[in-house]
Amino acid sequence: MRTSELAGQAGVNTETLRYYERRGLLTQPPRTPGGYRDYPPSTVELLRFIKRAQELGFTLDEIEELLHLDNGGPDACDAARALAEHRRADLEARIRDLQRMHDSLADLVATCDLPRADRNCALLEAIDHRPEATR
């Protein structure tokens, strides 16, 4: 399938495909006699995996590592486990931050009918509350 068709099916733009090729996330496809890239249909699922992994917070470097580990043996499993544990710890921290923001918004909504001077807006406090390591 040609570049524009693949991009449309995967929900990315054509420059993203070229960038992923340069990074090595996608292998360069064969070319048609006319010089067009001819991607195999399986590339759509690969691109969807990459985009979903990004939505879940994985960086392109981490996604590249996961893709390379997919073909590995026992050592690769250890590396994949370490990567997953690191990502899980990051997600747990994000969940705690999001829960604090959720609770602050709930408190704010509960005080919306009060006069402005009596409202308690902990949202700014929740956003400013970061772990000491990131300050």
Side-chain angles (χ1 to χ4, degrees):
M1 100 183 48
R2 288 190 177 173
T3 302
S4 59
E5 183 182 2
L6 173 63
Q9 286 188 25
V12 300
N13 67 49
T14 57
E15 288 305 312
T16 300
L17 297 177
R18 291 184 182 96
Y19 177 70
Y20 288 173
E21 280 181 27
R22 287 192 305 272
R23 281 196 62 120
L25 292 170
L26 297 178
T27 57
Q28 290 192 0
R31 301 240 178 198
T32 65
Y36 294 102
R37 289 173 170 90
D38 188 21
Y39 292 95
S42 61
T43 310
V44 173
E45 290 307 313
L46 175 59
L47 286 167
R48 288 179 180 159
F49 171 83
I50 293 169
K51 298 311 290 179
R52 181 67 178 136
Q54 285 180 307
E55 290 172 6
L56 293 173
F58 286 91
T59 67
L60 287 179
D61 288 338
E62 291 168 332
I63 293 167
E64 184 175 14
E65 188 174 344
L66 287 173
L67 291 172
H68 290 304
L69 292 174
D70 187 41
N71 294 325
D75 290 341
C77 290
D78 291 341
R81 180 181 295 112
L83 180 62
E85 287 173 351
H86 175 73
R87 176 57 50 209
R88 184 176 62 185
D90 286 346
L91 288 173
E92 287 171 352
R94 289 169 86 190
I95 289 168
R96 285 191 301 273
D97 287 342
L98 288 170
Q99 187 62 54
R100 276 195 301 275
M101 290 180 69
H102 175 274
D103 294 347
S104 295
L105 286 171
D107 290 345
L108 176 63
V109 168
T111 64
C112 281
D113 291 333
L114 298 175
R116 186 174 194 89
D118 295 335
R119 292 181 196 158
N120 180 16
C121 184
L123 178 60
L124 295 176
E125 181 181 325
I127 291 172
D128 191 45
H129 185 282
R130 292 169 279 164
E132 293 298 320
T134 60
R135 284 189 181 182

